[in-house]
Amino acid sequence: MIEIIKKSEQAYGEFNNGEIIENKPIGFPIEGGKLKPYSNLFYWAYAEASVDSVIGLHPHKGFEIISVVLKGTIKHYDTLIDKWIDLKEGDIQVIQSGSGVSHSEAINKDAAIFQIWLDPNLKKSFHQKATYKDYTANDFPVVGNKKVLIGENSPVKVDTEGIKMFQLSLENETFNMDLETGKYYSIYILSGNPTINNKAVEKPDFLKIYDEQELSINTKDQTQIFCISSPKNVSYPTYRV
């Protein structure tokens, strides 16, 4: 099964009177949008800034928060390290917010990020000390067309069960990928106009895939695809509103 969620069906958000615009394949439950949290994916937003803009200090608790710099540069601050840190395209920030941390982002003009919230079993994580770590673009292994962000030989370790995260870079080719049973595959089209199992998709379509054995991705242009695999059946209760 392949569900395609167009931008018009995704949740919408903004900061600072539209200086930062978000489309959210998985928004907060009160924000609407076709998809609700599933598996141990609680939230997924694509945010882009038209000018330099700061999201003020705000608290996080429990969730593992993954921020991926997709283009441009950003800065971030949190109360664990008490200073601003620069991140550039390809870098990743991981906050395991545990018992609580406050955080701020400065997204520079024309920069874009993903922010993805993973549910690591909040009943446990609420009682753990918050941690934070940055990773540079060069930290991640590349195997053929695939850049591994979480899983396999990636340095990123998360507590959230069964998560793998990777990015595919394809051009004028057919790429076949075997899928694990018992997994959701959640895909965001970052660029290009590929067909996936004969379904035409485009930026910024989001795909929720399950009960498929293989994906056949056909591209005729430069295509960037971001993917997370996560378990259909999580062994602990996940947070729902």
Side-chain angles (χ1 to χ4, degrees):
M1 179 70 177
I2 299 179
E3 296 183 43
I4 300 174
I5 296 86
K6 308 295 287 186
K7 184 177 182 180
S8 61
E9 300 174 299
Q10 299 174 25
Y12 172 85
E14 64 177 56
F15 289 94
N16 303 334
N17 297 313
E19 293 179 353
I20 299 170
I21 296 293
E22 300 175 296
N23 59 282
K24 304 183 180 189
I26 307 173
F28 294 121
I30 62 172
E31 293 178 315
K34 183 175 181 179
L35 287 182
K36 304 304 179 187
Y38 61 91
S39 181
N40 40 22
L41 300 179
F42 181 75
Y43 177 83
W44 188 328
Y46 174 94
E48 187 167 13
S50 58
V51 297
D52 293 351
S53 192
V54 176
I55 300 171
L57 197 66
H58 53 280
H60 292 296
K61 187 175 182 180
F63 292 98
E64 295 187 300
I65 299 167
I66 315 296
S67 296
V68 182
V69 185
L70 300 168
K71 64 177 181 177
T73 60
I74 72 168
K75 296 180 180 180
H76 71 89
Y77 170 90
D78 65 67
T79 51
L80 289 176
I81 56 173
D82 194 26
K83 64 178 180 179
W84 287 93
I85 301 292
D86 294 309
L87 295 176
K88 64 181 186 303
E89 182 175 333
D91 293 350
I92 289 182
Q93 166 202 131
V94 178
I95 295 175
Q96 295 174 302
S97 59
S99 59
V101 62
S102 291
H103 174 73
S104 179
E105 293 118 329
I107 304 180
N108 296 324
K109 184 178 185 294
D110 297 327
I113 66 168
F114 278 144
Q115 190 172 95
I116 298 164
W117 294 27
L118 307 177
D119 182 343
N121 189 350
L122 300 185
K123 289 184 178 180
K124 292 183 178 180
S125 64
F126 281 155
H127 303 289
Q128 296 171 346
K129 183 180 178 180
T131 67
Y132 152 84
K133 192 167 184 181
D134 286 327
Y135 300 87
T136 68
N138 293 330
D139 289 333
F140 302 105
V142 177
V143 182
N145 298 321
K146 182 178 179 181
K147 183 176 184 179
V148 181
L149 304 177
I150 297 177
E152 299 175 47
N153 295 314
S154 169
V156 178
K157 307 300 178 188
V158 295
D159 292 332
T160 304
E161 178 179 278
I163 292 291
K164 295 181 181 178
M165 183 183 295
F166 57 91
Q167 190 167 334
L168 297 174
S169 299
L170 308 172
E171 183 175 6
N172 194 28
E173 61 187 291
T174 297
F175 180 83
N176 295 313
M177 181 171 68
D178 292 331
L179 304 184
E180 296 180 66
T181 58
K183 292 277 192 175
Y184 287 111
Y185 285 78
S186 304
I187 285 177
Y188 191 103
I189 307 299
L190 286 168
S191 66
N193 297 274
T195 60
I196 298 180
N197 288 12
N198 297 315
K199 297 179 182 290
V201 293
E202 62 184 354
K203 176 185 177 179
D205 289 350
F206 185 84
L207 285 67
K208 180 183 178 183
I209 301 169
Y210 50 96
D211 298 338
E212 298 279 336
Q213 295 182 332
E214 182 185 58
L215 288 188
S216 180
I217 305 171
N218 185 269
T219 65
K220 295 183 179 179
D221 51 10
Q222 290 185 338
T223 299
Q224 296 284 328
I225 294 173
F226 192 96
C227 182
I228 296 177
S229 68
S230 61
K232 286 184 69 177
N233 297 304
V234 182
S235 67
Y236 50 84
T238 54
Y239 182 73
R240 298 289 182 265
V241 174

